[in-house]
Amino acid sequence: MAQMQKYRELVAEKVLDKTLGNRLGRIVESTISKLEAKINEEGMTRKTAEDQWKRAALDSTVDYFDDAQVRQDFMRQALSQFCSGDVAKITNTTATVEFETDAFSTQYRSNYDRVRQEFLNEQRQKGTLSPVFMEDSERSSQVRSASEKSAEYESRVSEWASAHNTVNAPTPSFS
């Protein structure tokens, strides 16, 4: 009889180890899938925001160059470059002056930076800035210490226990 008891305890311990191992494996798999989903979500958040910034910057740049005064200044600059030197001729040959300007790229970069900064400032004011866009100092300021995490854990557990744990509930009387 004593041998049977030891065998039962041994089997029960092995079953418990197997059950806990399976549970731990499911928890690890679940955690990994949640982390992968979060990484994908953050990647999409970054890509979507950058696409919006690029579109807005391009629209602003096109609107800027649609202005008649800007086009006139651009043509004046182009003609002054074209007429500089001795090779200012309109011909069908390739021996013409090469026109160099960075007007579009400069305007686009300035619009892109402006749109990006507006987005980041707006999200910071709302308190909804994704960690993807945070600077290192902002991210590190949100990291909590072990004692803060422990205090929050304890408060949440006690809050849940007060609503769900009926150990301290009064015993009904059967009179």
Side-chain angles (χ1 to χ4, degrees), residues 18-158:
K18 177 71 173 159
T19 304
L20 290 176
N22 290 345
R23 183 181 297 164
L24 184 61
R26 284 192 304 272
I27 290 170
V28 167
E29 287 177 8
S30 171
T31 302
I32 289 172
S33 68
K34 287 176 184 176
L35 288 172
E36 287 173 346
K38 187 66 175 172
I39 289 169
N40 291 338
E41 176 189 333
E42 287 179 351
M44 287 303 297
T45 300
R46 176 181 289 281
K47 185 173 179 353
T48 302
E50 287 176 351
D51 287 347
Q52 289 174 348
W53 300 339
K54 289 175 184 176
R55 276 194 202 98
L58 181 64
D59 291 343
S60 296
T61 305
V62 168
D63 290 344
Y64 174 78
F65 282 107
D66 276 345
D67 184 22
Q69 183 61 42
V70 171
R71 277 186 285 159
Q72 193 175 25
D73 292 343
F74 178 79
M75 289 305 292
R76 187 177 306 120
Q77 181 187 9
L79 284 173
S80 71
Q81 280 191 26
F82 178 74
C83 293
S84 67
D86 293 336
V87 289
K89 300 176 196 169
I90 297 178
T91 65
N92 289 336
T93 66
T94 59
T96 59
V97 175
E98 187 176 316
F99 177 67
E100 295 179 9
T101 183
D102 64 348
F104 185 83
S105 63
T106 303
Q107 187 64 35
Y108 176 82
R109 175 54 53 195
S110 133
N111 287 337
Y112 181 85
D113 292 341
R114 178 185 51 79
V115 168
R116 181 177 187 274
Q117 211 47 49
E118 286 174 1
F119 172 83
L120 295 176
N121 291 338
E122 180 182 317
Q123 295 299 313
R124 278 188 186 104
Q125 287 173 351
K126 288 180 186 176
T128 58
L129 184 64
S130 172
V132 174
F133 302 114
M134 288 182 182
E135 296 171 7
D136 290 337
S137 61
E138 290 175 300
R139 239 184 257 120
S140 63
S141 71
Q142 290 187 348
V143 173
R144 290 183 277 171
S145 68
S147 61
E148 290 172 329
K149 289 178 185 177
S150 176
E152 182 174 346
Y153 173 78
E154 292 297 328
S155 69
R156 287 188 182 191
V157 166
S158 64

